[in-house]
Amino acid sequence: MAPSSLRPPRHHPSPLVVLAIAVLLVLRTADGLPEAGGGGGGGGLYREILRDETVQRLKELGKISDGDGYLERTFLSPASIRATGVIVSWMKDAGLTTWVDQMGNIHGRYEPANSTRDALLIGSHMDTVVDAGMYDGALGIISAISALKVLKVTGKLQRLTRPVEVIAFSDEEGIRFQTTFLGSAAVAGTLPESILQVSDKSGTTLQDVLKMNSFEATSTAISQARYNPESVGSYVEVHMEQGPVLEALHYPLGVVKGIAGQTRLKVIVDGSQGHAGTVPMKLRRDPMVAAAELVVTLERLCKEPNSLLTYDEECSCFTEESLAGLVCTVGELNTWPSASNVIPGQVNFTVDIRAMDDQVRETIVTSFSRLVLQKCDDRLVDCKVEHKHSAAATHCDPELTSQLKRAARSTVSAMPGRTVAAGETPVLMSGAGHDAMAMARLTKIGMLFVRCRGGISHSPEESVMDNDVWAAGLALFNFIDQNAVSEELDAGQNVVAVALAVAES
């Protein structure tokens, strides 16, 4: 046995080291980190909330509908009012203070004590198209609520250093009043006073609908929904891709660098109503065939724009790159009196034109308007083109895009059974409009896309895999953690490291 003078001294942990280890264990537990050999919320990557509960809530919200056997939930409809109560209860469950503003937007906010920082807003829309799927809009709302609920159960909600707010916007699709972003434009402060007199198909004005739902329905009241730009630091939106790119790349998440500009038109064609069996073909002023020719003309214009442009309309921006995002759609066509044995007296149809390049979009709108008048003249019918909506292309903030990209990359690398490398997060352009376009008038924006099956959207066939819902929620949780949670945990861990170093020295 070695002499006692040669044996290494037996060190007992000093009180400082014991305290340091205890602090570290408490911090790890509060943060939801997995303990050695265990799973728990952190070890399971918060699966129960970010996947299982989120998917269940998506299904629950998807059943709240005005349609009989299909999903339809438009601006301040009865189903929308029922959905409001459900969403408010979920926000409260996540520890948020809730209210509904004068445009029907639902807000859930956590306000740190004595915070002087500007707010992080996260949102999407609660309204749907007719015969919709359950993910469009709802995914962004519920994923955000779930991410904040995880912050609550891990104790991080109380360590936020900036306000974080989830907004469920009342109208993005524009189905009821044929004007998009009623909810987010109110928050951004860009709604014109005349908006109150816009009417739906039944002739009911927006003002009437607001009054019927106990809102003040005045321009002054609506202006109260507007946020002060100085109080908002950024807006982030999670949304299903509504396209096939992420699925083709075998990747669950992608970040968005920009949103295409959009113009909505309504074309009204007036002819001579008559008997289908008695009016000779050569003497007809048939608005239906004129409308059919205009629809085909629009398709050709958007497939081969240079072939129909005049010299004055041509521009240097019509390169292959600038035309890449150009799409045109006729989605609605109505006839009067719409009887099989009657030559229609009037036909009207909607036109949706989108492009990443605003100059391209505006040139297509001008060219199509010219062609409408020209071809209607040739067919001896009267035509009118009404501009219903126009929004410029929107670019996402590069810094937010980088932060979302990092959050997505760290998420995908941590997901169980991943089959893609962590460094491959795709960067996409969005051909669909989103509330982020309206919010860009208020603050800088960022968007995260989630893979969907077949790129199908605006359809009951919409489908997002449960694990991709999980990935989206975890990425958003990571993003909030990086951008709004205090550094106390890191500071505590640094204290522990210093204490151990001192004890060992």
Side-chain angles (χ1 to χ4, degrees), residues 3 158 160 190 194 203 239 241 248 267 269 294 297 300 316 333 362 371 383 394 429 435 475 500:
Q158 290 71 35
L160 291 177
T190 58
S194 59
H239 206 282
E241 183 194 352
V267 180
V269 187
L294 292 175
T297 297
R300 183 183 169 195
S316 58
L333 188 146
E362 290 164 4
L371 289 166
C383 288
T394 304
M429 293 295 293
D435 287 298
L500 290 173

Side-chain angles (χ1 to χ4, degrees), residues 281-292:
M281 296 299 291
K282 290 185 178 181
L283 298 181
R284 295 187 179 196
R285 295 176 59 242
D286 190 339
M288 179 64 82
V289 290

Side-chain angles (χ1 to χ4, degrees), residues 221-238:
I222 290 175
S223 69
Q224 293 171 2
R226 180 183 182 270
Y227 277 40
N228 182 342
E230 294 181 0
S231 70
V232 180
S234 54
Y235 170 80
V236 169
E237 183 167 353
V238 174

